[in-house]
Amino acid sequence: MKVIDAWRLTLQSIYMRIFYSVSQLKKEAKAQGGHWAFIPTMGALHDGHLSLIEQAKQQNLPTIVSVFVNPTQFNNSEDLAKYPRTVSQDLKKLAEIGVDAVFLPGIQDIYPDNSSVPEVHLGSEAKNLEGFYRPGHFEGVVMVLRRLFSIVQPGHVFFGQKDLQQCMVVRSLINNEFPEIRFNMVETMREKGGLAMSSRNVHISDSDRINANKIYQTLIKMSELELNESEVLDLENELLELGIQTEYLKYVSLPSLGVVTTRAEANAVVFAGYLGKVRLIDNLIFKPLSN
Ligand code: PAF
């Protein structure tokens, strides 16, 4: 790193405030008067996360990013154990991009021993797809976001379209419980070959990465052509030949995420599956949802 870059980074790090305590952050949130643009993350930051921050910065709002690997949203303990944890690299990236504040809560800040966690009742948009294959996942997402939103008190939140169903669940959480927050969904960032960026991609080998690009090509094909059930099955078999085991590959309508049988009824096509032990999800919206 050149000396001048090192200095710039040091200066940015000085301006980036790091909050470890809820009370300190709540005080600051009050002073901000509900203007924060908030980007909640589980760390292992990649260009997809950075694009959410860029979008927030374009709105000239103070930006705050949280890094917290939320155990309650993992339905598989191996997945939780393997989830990449890279806090010092994350902080460096956040300082470089010029984030104003970072919240690094501990487990007790989010789930204090003495507090009862309110029950989570999810809408129909959370029931199928990820809701079916990852039981309890969205309940965990809603639990952590309720807590984070009430601590950070943001005016705007930014989420990536790669987690389309999560976006719909968060949209409905905000409509029902946090109407003061403006929800923003940001387009998926992709690697050169089309693979959607994800923190889990670090577990994919270079050769598997080439095969994984086929997922995006499959989504494009389904978004452009009206395919019947058996043609979709053929696409799943093509993926299988490359080692990709499909969980679902479906046309869906938005915002309900209901599965539909024809492209004509759909807004998007969604995919989830395994490449070896790595679970990948992706989607393509071809008929945008009007607000
Ligand atoms: O999308 C994620 O990284 C997580 O689901 C989120 C929104 C940070 C909640 O833990």
Side-chain angles (χ1 to χ4, degrees), residues 232-276:
V232 173
L233 214 56
D234 290 342
L235 292 179
E236 288 184 16
N237 284 328
E238 285 174 24
L239 289 171
L240 194 56
E241 277 166 27
L242 297 173
I244 301 164
Q245 176 82 55
T246 300
E247 272 184 346
Y248 57 77
L249 175 61
K250 301 281 180 205
Y251 288 116
V252 294
S253 69
L254 297 177
S256 69
L257 260 309
V259 172
V260 291
T261 47
T262 65
R263 181 185 176 282
E265 300 164 273
N267 297 84
V269 52
V270 291
F271 166 87
Y274 278 90
L275 175 56

Side-chain angles (χ1 to χ4, degrees), residues 92-112:
K92 186 163 170 270
K93 287 182 186 171
L94 295 173
E96 264 165 0
I97 199 170
V99 157
D100 295 286
V102 183
F103 181 36
L104 295 177
I107 188 84
Q108 280 296 321
D109 297 305
I110 303 296
Y111 300 114

